[in-house]
Amino acid sequence: MGLFDKGMQKTKRSFFERLSRAVVGKSEVDEDTLDAIEEALIASDMGVDTTLKIIDSLEERVAKDKYMSFDELVEMLREEVSELLDVENSENTEDGFVLDRKPFVILVVGVNGVGKTTTIGKLASRFAASGKKVVIGAADTFRAAAVDQLSIWAERAGVEIVKQQMGSDPAAVAFDTVKSAVARNADVVLIDTAGRLHNRVDLMNELTKIRNVMRRSIADAPHEVLLVLDGSTGQNAFQQAKEFSRATDVTSLAVTKLDGSAKGGVVIGIVDQFRFPIRFIGMGEGIDDLKVFDKKEFVESLFSKEDLR
Protein backbone atom coordinates (compact mmCIF):
# COMPACT_ATOMS: atom_id res chain seq x y z
CA MET A 1 0.00 0.00 0.00
CA GLY A 2 1.49 3.36 -1.05
CA LEU A 3 1.83 6.41 1.17
CA PHE A 4 -1.22 8.10 -0.37
CA ASP A 5 -3.32 4.95 0.01
CA LYS A 6 -2.35 4.63 3.65
CA GLY A 7 -2.87 8.31 4.34
CA MET A 8 -6.26 8.55 2.64
CA GLN A 9 -7.78 5.47 4.32
CA LYS A 10 -10.04 7.34 6.76
CA THR A 11 -11.29 9.85 4.18
CA LYS A 12 -11.85 7.11 1.64
CA ARG A 13 -13.66 4.73 3.96
CA SER A 14 -16.05 7.45 5.15
CA PHE A 15 -16.63 8.69 1.60
CA PHE A 16 -17.24 5.27 0.00
CA GLU A 17 -19.54 4.11 2.79
CA ARG A 18 -21.74 7.18 2.30
CA LEU A 19 -21.59 6.83 -1.47
CA SER A 20 -22.55 3.13 -1.34
CA ARG A 21 -25.54 3.94 0.86
CA ALA A 22 -26.57 6.63 -1.63
CA VAL A 23 -26.79 4.31 -4.61
CA VAL A 24 -27.57 0.88 -3.16
CA GLY A 25 -30.68 -0.63 -4.73
CA LYS A 26 -31.21 2.36 -7.04
CA SER A 27 -31.96 1.89 -10.70
CA GLU A 28 -31.30 5.54 -11.48
CA VAL A 29 -29.56 8.55 -10.00
CA ASP A 30 -32.34 10.67 -8.51
CA GLU A 31 -32.56 13.74 -6.29
CA ASP A 32 -32.07 11.67 -3.12
CA THR A 33 -28.92 10.10 -4.57
CA LEU A 34 -27.48 13.51 -5.43
CA ASP A 35 -28.33 14.78 -1.94
CA ALA A 36 -26.51 11.80 -0.43
CA ILE A 37 -23.46 12.41 -2.65
CA GLU A 38 -23.51 16.07 -1.62
CA GLU A 39 -23.55 15.01 2.03
CA ALA A 40 -20.62 12.61 1.46
CA LEU A 41 -18.55 15.35 -0.18
CA ILE A 42 -19.30 17.90 2.54
CA ALA A 43 -18.50 15.31 5.24
CA SER A 44 -15.02 14.91 3.72
CA ASP A 45 -14.63 18.70 4.21
CA MET A 46 -14.48 19.59 0.56
CA GLY A 47 -16.34 22.79 1.35
CA VAL A 48 -19.83 23.87 0.28
CA ASP A 49 -18.82 25.86 -2.83
CA THR A 50 -16.65 23.09 -4.28
CA THR A 51 -19.25 20.45 -3.43
CA LEU A 52 -22.01 22.40 -5.18
CA LYS A 53 -19.77 22.82 -8.23
CA ILE A 54 -19.35 19.02 -8.42
CA ILE A 55 -23.08 18.36 -7.81
CA ASP A 56 -24.09 20.84 -10.57
CA SER A 57 -21.76 19.12 -12.97
CA LEU A 58 -23.08 15.67 -11.97
CA GLU A 59 -26.68 16.85 -12.43
CA GLU A 60 -25.91 17.90 -15.99
CA ARG A 61 -24.33 14.55 -16.80
CA VAL A 62 -27.07 12.56 -15.06
CA ALA A 63 -29.74 14.43 -17.04
CA LYS A 64 -28.32 12.82 -20.20
CA ASP A 65 -28.08 9.31 -18.73
CA LYS A 66 -30.44 8.59 -15.83
CA TYR A 67 -29.10 5.14 -15.08
CA MET A 68 -25.63 5.01 -13.62
CA SER A 69 -23.87 2.17 -11.84
CA PHE A 70 -21.82 2.75 -8.71
CA ASP A 71 -18.60 2.38 -10.72
CA GLU A 72 -19.77 4.88 -13.33
CA LEU A 73 -20.64 7.36 -10.60
CA VAL A 74 -17.21 6.95 -8.99
CA GLU A 75 -15.52 7.41 -12.37
CA MET A 76 -17.50 10.61 -12.95
CA LEU A 77 -16.50 11.95 -9.54
CA ARG A 78 -12.87 11.02 -10.26
CA GLU A 79 -12.97 13.10 -13.47
CA GLU A 80 -14.56 16.07 -11.69
CA VAL A 81 -11.98 16.07 -8.89
CA SER A 82 -9.06 15.74 -11.36
CA GLU A 83 -10.35 18.81 -13.15
CA LEU A 84 -10.64 20.82 -9.93
CA LEU A 85 -7.01 20.03 -8.99
CA ASP A 86 -5.78 21.15 -12.40
CA VAL A 87 -4.67 24.69 -11.54
CA GLU A 88 -1.82 26.77 -12.94
CA ASN A 89 1.68 25.46 -12.06
CA SER A 90 0.20 22.33 -10.50
CA GLU A 91 2.67 19.96 -12.17
CA ASN A 92 5.43 19.26 -9.65
CA THR A 93 9.05 18.38 -10.27
CA GLU A 94 11.03 15.81 -8.29
CA ASP A 95 11.97 18.63 -5.88
CA GLY A 96 8.40 19.91 -5.72
CA PHE A 97 9.58 23.31 -6.95
CA VAL A 98 11.12 24.45 -10.22
CA LEU A 99 14.46 25.60 -8.81
CA ASP A 100 15.16 28.09 -11.59
CA ARG A 101 17.10 30.64 -9.49
CA LYS A 102 20.13 30.33 -7.28
CA PRO A 103 19.68 30.65 -4.43
CA PHE A 104 15.97 29.73 -4.67
CA VAL A 105 14.27 31.43 -1.72
CA ILE A 106 11.23 29.77 -0.12
CA LEU A 107 9.34 31.73 2.52
CA VAL A 108 7.31 29.30 4.67
CA VAL A 109 4.15 30.61 6.37
CA GLY A 110 1.36 29.08 8.45
CA VAL A 111 -0.10 29.13 11.96
CA ASN A 112 1.68 27.50 14.88
CA GLY A 113 0.88 23.82 15.34
CA VAL A 114 0.31 22.89 11.68
CA GLY A 115 3.72 21.24 11.32
CA LYS A 116 5.44 24.22 9.69
CA THR A 117 8.81 23.84 11.42
CA THR A 118 8.84 20.07 10.87
CA THR A 119 7.98 20.60 7.20
CA ILE A 120 10.94 22.99 6.82
CA GLY A 121 13.21 20.43 8.48
CA LYS A 122 11.99 17.65 6.19
CA LEU A 123 12.37 19.87 3.12
CA ALA A 124 15.93 20.77 4.16
CA SER A 125 16.73 17.07 4.54
CA ARG A 126 15.20 16.24 1.15
CA PHE A 127 17.15 18.99 -0.62
CA ALA A 128 20.40 18.13 1.17
CA ALA A 129 19.98 14.42 0.35
CA SER A 130 19.70 15.29 -3.35
CA GLY A 131 22.98 17.21 -3.19
CA LYS A 132 21.63 20.75 -2.79
CA LYS A 133 23.35 23.27 -0.53
CA VAL A 134 20.68 24.55 1.87
CA VAL A 135 20.49 27.46 4.33
CA ILE A 136 17.64 27.70 6.86
CA GLY A 137 16.58 31.01 8.41
CA ALA A 138 14.94 30.77 11.86
CA ALA A 139 12.84 33.93 11.54
CA ASP A 140 10.11 32.73 13.93
CA THR A 141 11.88 34.53 16.74
CA PHE A 142 8.85 34.53 19.05
CA ARG A 143 9.06 30.84 19.87
CA ALA A 144 12.27 29.44 21.33
CA ALA A 145 10.94 25.94 20.61
CA ALA A 146 10.76 26.71 16.88
CA VAL A 147 14.40 27.81 16.76
CA ASP A 148 15.55 24.80 18.83
CA GLN A 149 13.55 22.41 16.67
CA LEU A 150 14.95 23.89 13.45
CA SER A 151 18.49 23.71 14.86
CA ILE A 152 18.05 19.97 15.47
CA TRP A 153 16.73 19.46 11.93
CA ALA A 154 19.59 21.54 10.46
CA GLU A 155 22.17 19.47 12.34
CA ARG A 156 20.51 16.23 11.29
CA ALA A 157 20.40 17.31 7.63
CA GLY A 158 23.91 18.79 7.74
CA VAL A 159 22.76 22.24 6.58
CA GLU A 160 23.52 25.75 7.82
CA ILE A 161 21.03 27.58 10.03
CA VAL A 162 20.98 31.33 10.62
CA LYS A 163 19.40 32.34 13.91
CA GLN A 164 19.41 35.12 16.48
CA GLN A 165 18.24 35.34 20.05
CA MET A 166 14.55 35.07 20.87
CA GLY A 167 12.62 38.30 20.31
CA SER A 168 15.00 39.50 17.56
CA ASP A 169 13.61 41.24 14.49
CA PRO A 170 12.44 38.45 12.10
CA ALA A 171 13.32 40.62 9.08
CA ALA A 172 16.92 40.93 10.32
CA VAL A 173 17.17 37.12 10.52
CA ALA A 174 15.73 36.81 7.00
CA PHE A 175 18.24 39.38 5.71
CA ASP A 176 21.20 37.61 7.32
CA THR A 177 19.98 34.27 5.96
CA VAL A 178 19.74 35.47 2.38
CA LYS A 179 23.10 37.26 2.65
CA SER A 180 24.73 34.10 3.99
CA ALA A 181 23.13 31.98 1.24
CA VAL A 182 24.50 34.28 -1.48
CA ALA A 183 27.99 34.25 0.12
CA ARG A 184 27.97 30.44 0.39
CA ASN A 185 26.64 29.95 -3.14
CA ALA A 186 23.68 27.99 -1.70
CA ASP A 187 21.02 26.40 -3.90
CA VAL A 188 18.00 26.73 -1.61
CA VAL A 189 16.97 29.05 1.24
CA LEU A 190 14.12 28.05 3.60
CA ILE A 191 12.84 30.77 5.91
CA ASP A 192 10.54 30.04 8.84
CA THR A 193 8.13 32.78 9.96
CA ALA A 194 5.97 33.40 13.01
CA GLY A 195 2.56 31.78 12.85
CA ARG A 196 0.41 34.22 14.76
CA LEU A 197 -2.99 35.13 13.37
CA HIS A 198 -4.25 37.29 16.23
CA ASN A 199 -3.85 40.44 14.16
CA ARG A 200 -3.78 40.23 10.39
CA VAL A 201 -2.30 43.73 10.06
CA ASP A 202 0.71 42.76 12.20
CA LEU A 203 1.17 39.58 10.20
CA MET A 204 0.92 41.46 6.91
CA ASN A 205 3.39 44.11 8.04
CA GLU A 206 5.88 41.53 9.27
CA LEU A 207 5.76 39.45 6.09
CA THR A 208 6.03 42.57 3.93
CA LYS A 209 9.07 43.72 5.93
CA ILE A 210 10.72 40.29 5.56
CA ARG A 211 10.11 40.38 1.81
CA ASN A 212 11.49 43.91 1.48
CA VAL A 213 14.74 43.27 3.38
CA MET A 214 15.42 40.04 1.47
CA ARG A 215 15.14 41.98 -1.77
CA ARG A 216 18.15 44.07 -0.79
CA SER A 217 20.23 40.97 -1.51
CA ILE A 218 18.05 39.13 -4.06
CA ALA A 219 15.82 41.43 -6.08
CA ASP A 220 13.00 38.97 -6.77
CA ALA A 221 12.96 37.06 -3.46
CA PRO A 222 11.06 35.13 -2.25
CA HIS A 223 10.57 32.88 -5.27
CA GLU A 224 7.94 30.80 -3.52
CA VAL A 225 5.64 31.49 -0.56
CA LEU A 226 4.69 28.07 0.79
CA LEU A 227 1.64 27.97 3.08
CA VAL A 228 1.60 24.97 5.43
CA LEU A 229 -1.88 23.76 6.42
CA ASP A 230 -2.97 20.98 8.76
CA GLY A 231 -5.27 18.78 6.65
CA SER A 232 -6.92 17.27 9.73
CA THR A 233 -8.45 20.62 10.76
CA GLY A 234 -10.91 20.74 7.86
CA GLN A 235 -12.67 24.09 7.69
CA ASN A 236 -10.04 25.76 9.91
CA ALA A 237 -7.55 25.11 7.12
CA PHE A 238 -9.86 27.04 4.76
CA GLN A 239 -9.90 29.96 7.16
CA GLN A 240 -6.11 29.95 7.46
CA ALA A 241 -5.71 29.85 3.67
CA LYS A 242 -8.02 32.87 3.45
CA GLU A 243 -6.11 34.85 6.12
CA PHE A 244 -2.66 34.14 4.75
CA SER A 245 -3.64 34.80 1.14
CA ARG A 246 -4.80 38.23 2.30
CA ALA A 247 -1.60 38.86 4.24
CA THR A 248 0.91 37.79 1.59
CA ASP A 249 1.20 36.41 -1.95
CA VAL A 250 0.90 32.69 -1.23
CA THR A 251 2.08 30.72 -4.27
CA SER A 252 1.70 27.08 -3.15
CA LEU A 253 0.69 24.70 -0.36
CA ALA A 254 2.06 21.93 1.80
CA VAL A 255 -0.71 19.97 3.54
CA THR A 256 0.28 18.00 6.65
CA LYS A 257 -1.41 15.37 8.87
CA LEU A 258 -3.70 14.09 6.15
CA ASP A 259 -3.52 10.58 7.57
CA GLY A 260 -5.10 11.67 10.86
CA SER A 261 -8.70 12.23 9.83
CA ALA A 262 -11.49 11.68 7.32
CA LYS A 263 -11.16 15.28 6.10
CA GLY A 264 -8.96 14.67 3.04
CA GLY A 265 -11.48 16.46 0.84
CA VAL A 266 -10.15 19.73 2.26
CA VAL A 267 -7.23 19.42 -0.18
CA ILE A 268 -9.59 19.52 -3.16
CA GLY A 269 -11.69 22.36 -1.74
CA ILE A 270 -8.72 24.61 -0.96
CA VAL A 271 -7.10 24.13 -4.37
CA ASP A 272 -10.43 24.82 -6.07
CA GLN A 273 -11.28 27.91 -4.02
CA PHE A 274 -7.84 29.56 -3.81
CA ARG A 275 -6.17 28.22 -7.00
CA PHE A 276 -2.92 27.42 -5.16
CA PRO A 277 -1.10 24.32 -6.38
CA ILE A 278 -0.09 21.75 -3.75
CA ARG A 279 3.63 21.02 -3.64
CA PHE A 280 3.84 18.58 -0.71
CA ILE A 281 1.65 16.28 1.35
CA GLY A 282 2.61 15.16 4.86
CA MET A 283 1.36 11.71 5.85
CA GLY A 284 3.20 11.04 9.12
CA GLU A 285 6.06 11.96 11.41
CA GLY A 286 8.93 10.22 9.58
CA ILE A 287 11.40 12.19 7.50
CA ASP A 288 10.25 10.33 4.37
CA ASP A 289 6.57 10.98 5.07
CA LEU A 290 6.69 14.36 3.33
CA LYS A 291 5.87 13.50 -0.25
CA VAL A 292 5.88 15.62 -3.40
CA PHE A 293 2.21 15.91 -4.32
CA ASP A 294 1.25 13.88 -7.35
CA LYS A 295 -2.19 14.93 -8.51
CA LYS A 296 -2.85 11.79 -10.53
CA GLU A 297 -1.72 9.47 -7.73
CA PHE A 298 -3.81 11.37 -5.18
CA VAL A 299 -7.00 11.07 -7.25
CA GLU A 300 -6.33 7.40 -8.08
CA SER A 301 -5.79 6.68 -4.39
CA LEU A 302 -8.92 8.54 -3.27
CA PHE A 303 -11.14 6.66 -5.73
CA SER A 304 -9.59 3.18 -5.70
CA LYS A 305 -11.61 0.59 -3.81
CA GLU A 306 -8.97 -2.16 -3.82
CA ASP A 307 -7.43 -1.39 -0.45
CA LEU A 308 -10.64 -0.68 1.47
CA ARG A 309 -10.33 -3.64 3.80
Side-chain angles (χ1 to χ4, degrees):
M1 195 186 288
L3 188 62
F4 268 133
D5 297 323
K6 192 175 75 179
M8 293 301 287
Q9 277 287 297
K10 289 182 181 173
T11 297
K12 213 152 80 166
R13 194 173 297 281
S14 160
F15 179 71
F16 272 105
E17 280 172 4
R18 287 169 186 271
L19 208 55
S20 299
R21 284 200 299 271
V23 296
V24 71
K26 295 282 178 71
S27 59
E28 65 175 34
V29 177
D30 57 17
E31 205 60 44
D32 288 346
T33 314
L34 287 168
D35 283 349
I37 295 168
E38 187 176 319
E39 197 183 300
L41 294 172
I42 286 174
S44 73
D45 258 337
M46 211 170 279
V48 174
D49 292 343
T50 302
T51 295
L52 292 178
K53 198 181 276 190
I54 292 173
I55 294 298
D56 286 349
S57 190
L58 281 183
E59 275 181 330
E60 273 179 41
R61 294 171 76 163
V62 165
K64 295 174 198 157
D65 181 10
K66 282 283 183 193
Y67 174 75
M68 200 174 290
S69 69
F70 181 73
D71 287 344
E72 283 171 324
L73 191 59
V74 168
E75 185 52 42
M76 201 180 278
L77 284 166
R78 186 202 305 260
E79 286 169 20
E80 291 297 327
V81 167
S82 292
E83 214 167 288
L84 292 177
L85 289 173
D86 194 20
V87 295
E88 198 178 344
N89 297 323
S90 60
E91 294 306 323
N92 288 324
T93 65
E94 204 176 314
D95 287 321
F97 305 99
V98 178
L99 302 176
D100 55 358
R101 323 281 162 84
K102 185 172 175 168
F104 190 87
V105 181
I106 303 164
L107 187 66
V108 186
V109 301
V111 300
N112 297 332
V114 295
K116 179 165 51 79
T117 308
T118 305
T119 298
I120 293 169
K122 289 179 181 179
L123 282 174
S125 293
R126 279 182 68 98
F127 286 131
S130 68
K132 306 278 190 303
K133 188 182 275 191
V134 182
V135 178
I136 296 175
D140 182 357
T141 57
F142 295 92
R143 285 194 314 135
V147 179
D148 293 345
Q149 200 182 349
L150 269 184
S151 299
I152 292 165
W153 276 106
E155 194 178 328
R156 197 184 294 173
V159 305
E160 185 195 346
I161 183 166
V162 175
K163 56 187 177 182
Q164 293 181 11
Q165 64 195 46
M166 199 178 153
S168 303
D169 180 7
V173 178
F175 179 72
D176 288 350
T177 306
V178 169
K179 213 167 126 187
S180 172
V182 171
R184 288 170 55 88
N185 198 28
D187 297 295
V188 181
V189 178
L190 292 159
I191 295 180
D192 192 12
T193 57
R196 299 157 305 139
L197 265 187
H198 64 279
N199 184 329
R200 193 166 68 234
V201 176
D202 286 354
L203 176 73
M204 200 177 289
N205 291 343
E206 190 173 287
L207 293 173
T208 302
K209 191 176 171 189
I210 287 173
R211 184 186 292 264
N212 290 344
V213 301
M214 286 195 297
R215 286 183 175 172
R216 291 182 201 163
S217 286
I218 300 173
D220 56 351
H223 305 116
E224 192 93 26
V225 179
L226 181 71
L227 171 61
V228 182
L229 296 171
D230 176 347
S232 70
T233 62
Q235 292 306 300
N236 273 350
F238 267 97
Q239 197 52 41
Q240 289 164 28
K242 192 184 288 181
E243 296 293 339
F244 276 95
S245 61
R246 283 176 185 163
T248 190
D249 297 323
V250 173
T251 56
S252 61
L253 301 172
V255 184
T256 65
K257 309 180 191 180
L258 257 191
D259 53 328
S261 77
K263 298 174 184 290
V266 73
V267 168
I268 300 152
I270 287 173
V271 173
D272 173 48
Q273 295 301 309
F274 296 98
R275 316 307 289 162
F276 304 142
I278 299 176
R279 297 280 177 241
F280 297 93
I281 289 281
M283 294 285 194
E285 293 305 311
I287 195 161
D288 296 327
D289 293 339
L290 184 73
K291 183 177 171 63
V292 171
F293 182 68
D294 183 315
K295 201 169 46 182
K296 190 170 177 231
E297 193 185 338
F298 176 82
V299 174
E300 288 302 316
S301 172
L302 182 59
F303 290 103
S304 73
K305 302 192 292 293
E306 283 73 27
D307 48 12
L308 277 178
R309 287 186 287 276

